[in-house]
PDB file of all heavy atoms in Angstrom:
ATOM      1  N   THR A 684       5.113  -5.614   6.600  1.00  0.00           N
ATOM      2  CA  THR A 684       4.478  -4.606   7.446  1.00  0.00           C
ATOM      3  C   THR A 684       3.435  -5.187   8.376  1.00  0.00           C
ATOM      4  O   THR A 684       3.078  -4.565   9.355  1.00  0.00           O
ATOM      5  CB  THR A 684       3.808  -3.521   6.585  1.00  0.00           C
ATOM      6  OG1 THR A 684       2.856  -4.133   5.739  1.00  0.00           O
ATOM      7  CG2 THR A 684       4.835  -2.764   5.778  1.00  0.00           C
ATOM      8  N   GLU A 685       2.906  -6.344   8.065  1.00  0.00           N
ATOM      9  CA  GLU A 685       1.925  -6.935   8.953  1.00  0.00           C
ATOM     10  C   GLU A 685       1.930  -8.442   8.765  1.00  0.00           C
ATOM     11  O   GLU A 685       2.467  -8.957   7.797  1.00  0.00           O
ATOM     12  CB  GLU A 685       0.531  -6.365   8.687  1.00  0.00           C
ATOM     13  CG  GLU A 685       0.043  -6.537   7.276  1.00  0.00           C
ATOM     14  CD  GLU A 685      -1.260  -5.822   7.025  1.00  0.00           C
ATOM     15  OE1 GLU A 685      -1.352  -4.627   7.315  1.00  0.00           O
ATOM     16  OE2 GLU A 685      -2.185  -6.489   6.543  1.00  0.00           O
ATOM     17  N   THR A 686       1.325  -9.149   9.681  1.00  0.00           N
ATOM     18  CA  THR A 686       1.285 -10.601   9.607  1.00  0.00           C
ATOM     19  C   THR A 686      -0.111 -11.026   9.208  1.00  0.00           C
ATOM     20  O   THR A 686      -1.106 -10.521   9.728  1.00  0.00           O
ATOM     21  CB  THR A 686       1.641 -11.211  10.984  1.00  0.00           C
ATOM     22  OG1 THR A 686       2.925 -10.740  11.342  1.00  0.00           O
ATOM     23  CG2 THR A 686       1.643 -12.711  10.933  1.00  0.00           C
ATOM     24  N   ASN A 687      -0.189 -11.982   8.295  1.00  0.00           N
ATOM     25  CA  ASN A 687      -1.453 -12.561   7.892  1.00  0.00           C
ATOM     26  C   ASN A 687      -1.964 -13.386   9.066  1.00  0.00           C
ATOM     27  O   ASN A 687      -1.309 -14.330   9.500  1.00  0.00           O
ATOM     28  CB  ASN A 687      -1.250 -13.412   6.637  1.00  0.00           C
ATOM     29  CG  ASN A 687      -2.535 -14.001   6.123  1.00  0.00           C
ATOM     30  OD1 ASN A 687      -3.424 -14.341   6.891  1.00  0.00           O
ATOM     31  ND2 ASN A 687      -2.624 -14.104   4.817  1.00  0.00           N
ATOM     32  N   LYS A 688      -3.112 -13.084   9.619  1.00  0.00           N
ATOM     33  CA  LYS A 688      -3.625 -13.736  10.816  1.00  0.00           C
ATOM     34  C   LYS A 688      -3.917 -15.218  10.591  1.00  0.00           C
ATOM     35  O   LYS A 688      -3.861 -16.005  11.517  1.00  0.00           O
ATOM     36  CB  LYS A 688      -4.902 -13.041  11.305  1.00  0.00           C
ATOM     37  CG  LYS A 688      -4.696 -11.584  11.648  1.00  0.00           C
ATOM     38  CD  LYS A 688      -3.693 -11.404  12.751  1.00  0.00           C
ATOM     39  CE  LYS A 688      -3.521  -9.943  13.070  1.00  0.00           C
ATOM     40  NZ  LYS A 688      -2.350  -9.630  13.801  1.00  0.00           N
ATOM     41  N   VAL A 689      -4.213 -15.626   9.370  1.00  0.00           N
ATOM     42  CA  VAL A 689      -4.531 -17.024   9.096  1.00  0.00           C
ATOM     43  C   VAL A 689      -3.284 -17.887   9.116  1.00  0.00           C
ATOM     44  O   VAL A 689      -3.249 -18.946   9.729  1.00  0.00           O
ATOM     45  CB  VAL A 689      -5.258 -17.163   7.731  1.00  0.00           C
ATOM     46  CG1 VAL A 689      -5.510 -18.613   7.394  1.00  0.00           C
ATOM     47  CG2 VAL A 689      -6.541 -16.364   7.754  1.00  0.00           C
ATOM     48  N   SER A 690      -2.209 -17.445   8.483  1.00  0.00           N
ATOM     49  CA  SER A 690      -1.019 -18.287   8.348  1.00  0.00           C
ATOM     50  C   SER A 690       0.189 -17.782   9.124  1.00  0.00           C
ATOM     51  O   SER A 690       1.209 -18.449   9.148  1.00  0.00           O
ATOM     52  CB  SER A 690      -0.656 -18.402   6.871  1.00  0.00           C
ATOM     53  OG  SER A 690      -0.307 -17.124   6.376  1.00  0.00           O
ATOM     54  N   ASP A 691       0.095 -16.629   9.787  1.00  0.00           N
ATOM     55  CA  ASP A 691       1.221 -16.007  10.482  1.00  0.00           C
ATOM     56  C   ASP A 691       2.431 -15.792   9.579  1.00  0.00           C
ATOM     57  O   ASP A 691       3.563 -15.777  10.023  1.00  0.00           O
ATOM     58  CB  ASP A 691       1.624 -16.810  11.725  1.00  0.00           C
ATOM     59  CG  ASP A 691       0.589 -16.677  12.823  1.00  0.00           C
ATOM     60  OD1 ASP A 691      -0.036 -15.598  12.903  1.00  0.00           O
ATOM     61  OD2 ASP A 691       0.408 -17.641  13.590  1.00  0.00           O
ATOM     62  N   VAL A 692       2.183 -15.639   8.292  1.00  0.00           N
ATOM     63  CA  VAL A 692       3.240 -15.352   7.328  1.00  0.00           C
ATOM     64  C   VAL A 692       3.257 -13.843   7.104  1.00  0.00           C
ATOM     65  O   VAL A 692       2.200 -13.234   6.914  1.00  0.00           O
ATOM     66  CB  VAL A 692       2.991 -16.083   5.980  1.00  0.00           C
ATOM     67  CG1 VAL A 692       4.013 -15.680   4.953  1.00  0.00           C
ATOM     68  CG2 VAL A 692       2.955 -17.578   6.197  1.00  0.00           C
ATOM     69  N   PRO A 693       4.450 -13.242   7.140  1.00  0.00           N
ATOM     70  CA  PRO A 693       4.496 -11.792   6.904  1.00  0.00           C
ATOM     71  C   PRO A 693       3.931 -11.444   5.531  1.00  0.00           C
ATOM     72  O   PRO A 693       4.206 -12.130   4.548  1.00  0.00           O
ATOM     73  CB  PRO A 693       5.979 -11.451   6.974  1.00  0.00           C
ATOM     74  CG  PRO A 693       6.617 -12.595   7.687  1.00  0.00           C
ATOM     75  CD  PRO A 693       5.761 -13.788   7.398  1.00  0.00           C
ATOM     76  N   THR A 694       3.118 -10.405   5.480  1.00  0.00           N
ATOM     77  CA  THR A 694       2.603  -9.891   4.225  1.00  0.00           C
ATOM     78  C   THR A 694       3.585  -8.837   3.737  1.00  0.00           C
ATOM     79  O   THR A 694       3.921  -7.915   4.472  1.00  0.00           O
ATOM     80  CB  THR A 694       1.214  -9.257   4.426  1.00  0.00           C
ATOM     81  OG1 THR A 694       0.366 -10.238   5.013  1.00  0.00           O
ATOM     82  CG2 THR A 694       0.636  -8.772   3.124  1.00  0.00           C
ATOM     83  N   VAL A 695       4.047  -8.967   2.507  1.00  0.00           N
ATOM     84  CA  VAL A 695       5.038  -8.054   1.978  1.00  0.00           C
ATOM     85  C   VAL A 695       4.334  -6.962   1.197  1.00  0.00           C
ATOM     86  O   VAL A 695       3.527  -7.243   0.313  1.00  0.00           O
ATOM     87  CB  VAL A 695       6.047  -8.796   1.069  1.00  0.00           C
ATOM     88  CG1 VAL A 695       7.045  -7.826   0.480  1.00  0.00           C
ATOM     89  CG2 VAL A 695       6.751  -9.882   1.862  1.00  0.00           C
ATOM     90  N   THR A 696       4.615  -5.722   1.565  1.00  0.00           N
ATOM     91  CA  THR A 696       4.060  -4.581   0.841  1.00  0.00           C
ATOM     92  C   THR A 696       5.178  -3.604   0.556  1.00  0.00           C
ATOM     93  O   THR A 696       6.163  -3.542   1.272  1.00  0.00           O
ATOM     94  CB  THR A 696       2.971  -3.869   1.670  1.00  0.00           C
ATOM     95  OG1 THR A 696       3.541  -3.461   2.899  1.00  0.00           O
ATOM     96  CG2 THR A 696       1.776  -4.774   1.903  1.00  0.00           C
ATOM     97  N   SER A 697       5.026  -2.860  -0.476  1.00  0.00           N
ATOM     98  CA  SER A 697       6.038  -1.869  -0.845  1.00  0.00           C
ATOM     99  C   SER A 697       5.976  -0.706   0.135  1.00  0.00           C
ATOM    100  O   SER A 697       4.912  -0.306   0.578  1.00  0.00           O
ATOM    101  CB  SER A 697       5.787  -1.377  -2.269  1.00  0.00           C
ATOM    102  OG  SER A 697       6.657  -0.310  -2.571  1.00  0.00           O
ATOM    103  N   ASN A 698       7.145  -0.142   0.453  1.00  0.00           N
ATOM    104  CA  ASN A 698       7.170   1.003   1.348  1.00  0.00           C
ATOM    105  C   ASN A 698       7.094   2.316   0.595  1.00  0.00           C
ATOM    106  O   ASN A 698       7.125   3.364   1.184  1.00  0.00           O
ATOM    107  CB  ASN A 698       8.414   0.975   2.243  1.00  0.00           C
ATOM    108  CG  ASN A 698       9.699   1.007   1.447  1.00  0.00           C
ATOM    109  OD1 ASN A 698       9.673   0.965   0.217  1.00  0.00           O
ATOM    110  ND2 ASN A 698      10.821   1.052   2.130  1.00  0.00           N
ATOM    111  N   LYS A 699       6.971   2.273  -0.714  1.00  0.00           N
ATOM    112  CA  LYS A 699       6.874   3.480  -1.517  1.00  0.00           C
ATOM    113  C   LYS A 699       5.416   3.701  -1.923  1.00  0.00           C
ATOM    114  O   LYS A 699       4.791   2.830  -2.498  1.00  0.00           O
ATOM    115  CB  LYS A 699       7.750   3.355  -2.763  1.00  0.00           C
ATOM    116  CG  LYS A 699       7.785   4.621  -3.578  1.00  0.00           C
ATOM    117  CD  LYS A 699       8.754   4.524  -4.726  1.00  0.00           C
ATOM    118  CE  LYS A 699       8.790   5.830  -5.479  1.00  0.00           C
ATOM    119  NZ  LYS A 699       9.694   5.782  -6.607  1.00  0.00           N
ATOM    120  N   VAL A 700       4.885   4.865  -1.599  1.00  0.00           N
ATOM    121  CA  VAL A 700       3.513   5.213  -1.945  1.00  0.00           C
ATOM    122  C   VAL A 700       3.556   6.188  -3.109  1.00  0.00           C
ATOM    123  O   VAL A 700       4.267   7.182  -3.067  1.00  0.00           O
ATOM    124  CB  VAL A 700       2.797   5.853  -0.732  1.00  0.00           C
ATOM    125  CG1 VAL A 700       1.379   6.251  -1.094  1.00  0.00           C
ATOM    126  CG2 VAL A 700       2.802   4.887   0.448  1.00  0.00           C
ATOM    127  N   SER A 701       2.792   5.886  -4.161  1.00  0.00           N
ATOM    128  CA  SER A 701       2.814   6.755  -5.335  1.00  0.00           C
ATOM    129  C   SER A 701       2.117   8.077  -5.028  1.00  0.00           C
ATOM    130  O   SER A 701       1.304   8.179  -4.117  1.00  0.00           O
ATOM    131  CB  SER A 701       2.126   6.077  -6.524  1.00  0.00           C
ATOM    132  OG  SER A 701       0.720   6.141  -6.391  1.00  0.00           O
ATOM    133  N   PHE A 702       2.463   9.078  -5.818  1.00  0.00           N
ATOM    134  CA  PHE A 702       1.850  10.396  -5.666  1.00  0.00           C
ATOM    135  C   PHE A 702       0.343  10.306  -5.859  1.00  0.00           C
ATOM    136  O   PHE A 702      -0.421  10.963  -5.165  1.00  0.00           O
ATOM    137  CB  PHE A 702       2.472  11.363  -6.670  1.00  0.00           C
ATOM    138  CG  PHE A 702       2.081  12.798  -6.445  1.00  0.00           C
ATOM    139  CD1 PHE A 702       2.563  13.495  -5.347  1.00  0.00           C
ATOM    140  CD2 PHE A 702       1.241  13.449  -7.317  1.00  0.00           C
ATOM    141  CE1 PHE A 702       2.219  14.820  -5.134  1.00  0.00           C
ATOM    142  CE2 PHE A 702       0.889  14.775  -7.117  1.00  0.00           C
ATOM    143  CZ  PHE A 702       1.381  15.457  -6.019  1.00  0.00           C
ATOM    144  N   TYR A 703      -0.086   9.454  -6.820  1.00  0.00           N
ATOM    145  CA  TYR A 703      -1.514   9.284  -7.072  1.00  0.00           C
ATOM    146  C   TYR A 703      -2.238   8.732  -5.851  1.00  0.00           C
ATOM    147  O   TYR A 703      -3.371   9.065  -5.587  1.00  0.00           O
ATOM    148  CB  TYR A 703      -1.763   8.355  -8.250  1.00  0.00           C
ATOM    149  CG  TYR A 703      -1.391   8.924  -9.586  1.00  0.00           C
ATOM    150  CD1 TYR A 703      -1.013   8.088 -10.623  1.00  0.00           C
ATOM    151  CD2 TYR A 703      -1.426  10.278  -9.843  1.00  0.00           C
ATOM    152  CE1 TYR A 703      -0.675   8.584 -11.867  1.00  0.00           C
ATOM    153  CE2 TYR A 703      -1.090  10.797 -11.076  1.00  0.00           C
ATOM    154  CZ  TYR A 703      -0.727   9.947 -12.088  1.00  0.00           C
ATOM    155  OH  TYR A 703      -0.402  10.433 -13.312  1.00  0.00           O
ATOM    156  N   GLU A 704      -1.570   7.845  -5.088  1.00  0.00           N
ATOM    157  CA  GLU A 704      -2.203   7.300  -3.895  1.00  0.00           C
ATOM    158  C   GLU A 704      -2.306   8.354  -2.799  1.00  0.00           C
ATOM    159  O   GLU A 704      -3.196   8.295  -1.964  1.00  0.00           O
ATOM    160  CB  GLU A 704      -1.423   6.086  -3.396  1.00  0.00           C
ATOM    161  CG  GLU A 704      -1.542   4.900  -4.342  1.00  0.00           C
ATOM    162  CD  GLU A 704      -0.606   3.765  -3.964  1.00  0.00           C
ATOM    163  OE1 GLU A 704      -0.061   3.766  -2.853  1.00  0.00           O
ATOM    164  OE2 GLU A 704      -0.422   2.882  -4.806  1.00  0.00           O
ATOM    165  N   GLN A 705      -1.384   9.304  -2.783  1.00  0.00           N
ATOM    166  CA  GLN A 705      -1.422  10.365  -1.786  1.00  0.00           C
ATOM    167  C   GLN A 705      -2.548  11.347  -2.087  1.00  0.00           C
ATOM    168  O   GLN A 705      -3.208  11.840  -1.186  1.00  0.00           O
ATOM    169  CB  GLN A 705      -0.091  11.115  -1.754  1.00  0.00           C
ATOM    170  CG  GLN A 705       1.059  10.271  -1.275  1.00  0.00           C
ATOM    171  CD  GLN A 705       2.378  11.009  -1.429  1.00  0.00           C
ATOM    172  OE1 GLN A 705       2.442  12.221  -1.319  1.00  0.00           O
ATOM    173  NE2 GLN A 705       3.435  10.276  -1.695  1.00  0.00           N
ATOM    174  N   ILE A 706      -2.731  11.668  -3.339  1.00  0.00           N
ATOM    175  CA  ILE A 706      -3.776  12.607  -3.753  1.00  0.00           C
ATOM    176  C   ILE A 706      -4.504  11.984  -4.951  1.00  0.00           C
ATOM    177  O   ILE A 706      -4.178  12.248  -6.099  1.00  0.00           O
ATOM    178  CB  ILE A 706      -3.184  13.982  -4.133  1.00  0.00           C
ATOM    179  CG1 ILE A 706      -2.344  14.528  -2.975  1.00  0.00           C
ATOM    180  CG2 ILE A 706      -4.291  14.959  -4.498  1.00  0.00           C
ATOM    181  CD1 ILE A 706      -1.622  15.810  -3.295  1.00  0.00           C
ATOM    182  N   PRO A 707      -5.490  11.121  -4.692  1.00  0.00           N
ATOM    183  CA  PRO A 707      -6.148  10.380  -5.785  1.00  0.00           C
ATOM    184  C   PRO A 707      -6.777  11.266  -6.856  1.00  0.00           C
ATOM    185  O   PRO A 707      -6.837  10.875  -8.009  1.00  0.00           O
ATOM    186  CB  PRO A 707      -7.214   9.555  -5.065  1.00  0.00           C
ATOM    187  CG  PRO A 707      -6.795   9.500  -3.642  1.00  0.00           C
ATOM    188  CD  PRO A 707      -6.010  10.753  -3.387  1.00  0.00           C
ATOM    189  N   LEU A 708      -7.235  12.455  -6.507  1.00  0.00           N
ATOM    190  CA  LEU A 708      -7.871  13.300  -7.511  1.00  0.00           C
ATOM    191  C   LEU A 708      -6.898  13.753  -8.596  1.00  0.00           C
ATOM    192  O   LEU A 708      -7.307  14.073  -9.699  1.00  0.00           O
ATOM    193  CB  LEU A 708      -8.545  14.509  -6.858  1.00  0.00           C
ATOM    194  CG  LEU A 708      -9.875  14.207  -6.176  1.00  0.00           C
ATOM    195  CD1 LEU A 708     -10.436  15.454  -5.522  1.00  0.00           C
ATOM    196  CD2 LEU A 708     -10.875  13.630  -7.150  1.00  0.00           C
ATOM    197  N   VAL A 709      -5.592  13.769  -8.297  1.00  0.00           N
ATOM    198  CA  VAL A 709      -4.604  14.112  -9.318  1.00  0.00           C
ATOM    199  C   VAL A 709      -4.701  13.111 -10.469  1.00  0.00           C
ATOM    200  O   VAL A 709      -4.684  13.480 -11.645  1.00  0.00           O
ATOM    201  CB  VAL A 709      -3.171  14.137  -8.734  1.00  0.00           C
ATOM    202  CG1 VAL A 709      -2.127  14.239  -9.829  1.00  0.00           C
ATOM    203  CG2 VAL A 709      -3.033  15.293  -7.760  1.00  0.00           C
ATOM    204  N   HIS A 710      -4.823  11.856 -10.123  1.00  0.00           N
ATOM    205  CA  HIS A 710      -4.975  10.800 -11.132  1.00  0.00           C
ATOM    206  C   HIS A 710      -6.216  11.066 -11.996  1.00  0.00           C
ATOM    207  O   HIS A 710      -6.174  10.933 -13.212  1.00  0.00           O
ATOM    208  CB  HIS A 710      -5.076   9.447 -10.432  1.00  0.00           C
ATOM    209  CG  HIS A 710      -5.208   8.286 -11.337  1.00  0.00           C
ATOM    210  ND1 HIS A 710      -4.190   7.869 -12.171  1.00  0.00           N
ATOM    211  CD2 HIS A 710      -6.233   7.441 -11.573  1.00  0.00           C
ATOM    212  CE1 HIS A 710      -4.579   6.825 -12.849  1.00  0.00           C
ATOM    213  NE2 HIS A 710      -5.817   6.545 -12.516  1.00  0.00           N
ATOM    214  N   ASN A 711      -7.301  11.467 -11.368  1.00  0.00           N
ATOM    215  CA  ASN A 711      -8.537  11.741 -12.102  1.00  0.00           C
ATOM    216  C   ASN A 711      -8.378  12.930 -13.047  1.00  0.00           C
ATOM    217  O   ASN A 711      -8.860  12.894 -14.183  1.00  0.00           O
ATOM    218  CB  ASN A 711      -9.681  11.998 -11.129  1.00  0.00           C
ATOM    219  CG  ASN A 711     -10.015  10.774 -10.311  1.00  0.00           C
ATOM    220  OD1 ASN A 711      -9.694   9.652 -10.675  1.00  0.00           O
ATOM    221  ND2 ASN A 711     -10.647  10.990  -9.168  1.00  0.00           N
TER     222      ASN A 711
END
């Protein structure tokens, strides 16, 4: 999704966002 500015290596991140990340208070 983005390039690391120091090494120009792609940073790999998951494209799936958990429900808890969408509404953090649910986790609480």
Side-chain angles (χ1 to χ4, degrees):
T684 58
E685 57 187 52
T686 302
N687 182 326
K688 300 299 180 197
V689 176
S690 64
D691 289 328
V692 175
T694 304
V695 178
T696 58
S697 173
N698 60 355
K699 185 174 182 181
V700 179
S701 78
F702 190 71
Y703 290 152
E704 291 171 14
Q705 294 173 32
I706 305 175
L708 283 178
V709 170
H710 181 68
N711 295 340

